Amino acid sequence: MLSVFALLYGFVAMFVLSSLSRNRRERRPDAPILALAGRGLMAASVTGAALAASAAAWASLVH
């Protein structure tokens, strides 16, 4: 299940970043759904980092 999530995350991140760079290059405004997808990716990244840090801290306390 984790590999499916990582693959989906990679595809969405690649699409969002390439679309944003193309819009910047062509000096076009970003679509609202593109901005929401970017914010969703950012939230997923921060959540994953917080979960990983808390798991590491919990593991260091248990041993």
Side-chain angles (χ1 to χ4, degrees), residues 16-40:
V16 168
L17 291 175
S18 65
S19 296
L20 288 174
S21 67
R22 187 189 65 212
N23 286 346
R24 296 284 185 261
R25 187 175 58 244
E26 296 175 359
R27 291 183 175 87
R28 294 188 324 187
D30 297 328
I33 191 70
L34 191 61
L36 286 174
R39 287 186 181 122

Side-chain angles (χ1 to χ4, degrees), residues 31-47:
I33 191 70
L34 191 61
L36 286 174
R39 287 186 181 122
L41 286 172
M42 183 179 62
S45 298
V46 169
T47 302

